[in-house]
Amino acid sequence: PMVAGGPPQAQLERDEAIAAVSLDITPNSWCALTDPAKLRLSFVSRRALSGVKWSVNYVVDMSENRGVATEVGEKAGLETYSEGQSSSVDLSATFDALEAFPRNALLNLATLEILAVAEGAAGNSEEKEVLRLPVLAQVTADRQGGDNAALKRIFLNPFS
């Protein structure tokens, strides 16, 4: 689902309860824009968290209206982490939905966002965003292809 004006969780209160430590991205080299990606995020939970939902958005810069976010991946189920726990999460992302965007918009800088949202403390139903990790995506057209050249992408790992 596409959401104009930013990611669907934009209105949630932020609480940096998850500290990202490292990120592995596969493939980690130039590939077709729509090739699936696998992400493994290692992190430390700064406090006990329950009901954590993980998702991945691809945010296309549409200049007039900031970014338009498309969910490209999520992890089924809810996770629980204890305070100080080191852990990792495996996420996969598919990019077929990007074919709905105008080609010139896809050639702008984009951001892959890894999001974690946790349920509120006992008796509080408010969800909190506990991690939003942006990963820049660089997209270019294959030089050999002329005007309809295939689009290629590479993710710029914030930890390397």
Side-chain angles (χ1 to χ4, degrees), residues 47-67:
R47 62 179 175 79
L49 295 169
S50 60
V52 178
K53 288 186 294 209
W54 291 92
S55 61
V56 183
N57 286 339
Y58 191 88
V59 183
V60 177
D61 182 5
M62 300 288 283
S63 57
E64 306 87 48
N65 54 351
R66 277 192 20 215

Side-chain angles (χ1 to χ4, degrees), residues 13-98:
E13 186 181 330
R14 293 188 67 179
D15 168 3
E16 300 290 325
I18 290 180
V21 175
S22 68
L23 177 64
D24 290 321
I25 306 171
T26 309
N28 195 17
S29 54
W30 286 101
C31 63
L33 175 63
T34 53
D35 281 359
K38 297 220 173 295
L39 311 163
R40 168 169 276 183
L41 177 70
S42 298
F43 61 92
V44 174
S45 180
R46 293 186 171 128
R47 62 179 175 79
L49 295 169
S50 60
V52 178
K53 288 186 294 209
W54 291 92
S55 61
V56 183
N57 286 339
Y58 191 88
V59 183
V60 177
D61 182 5
M62 300 288 283
S63 57
E64 306 87 48
N65 54 351
R66 277 192 20 215
V68 175
T70 301
E71 185 167 314
V72 292
E74 66 180 338
K75 184 176 190 311
L78 302 175
E79 301 293 327
T80 299
Y81 305 105
S82 54
E83 184 175 347
Q85 178 181 348
S86 292
S87 196
S88 64
V89 62
D90 290 308
L91 299 160
S92 54
T94 55
F95 301 97
D96 298 337
L98 299 184

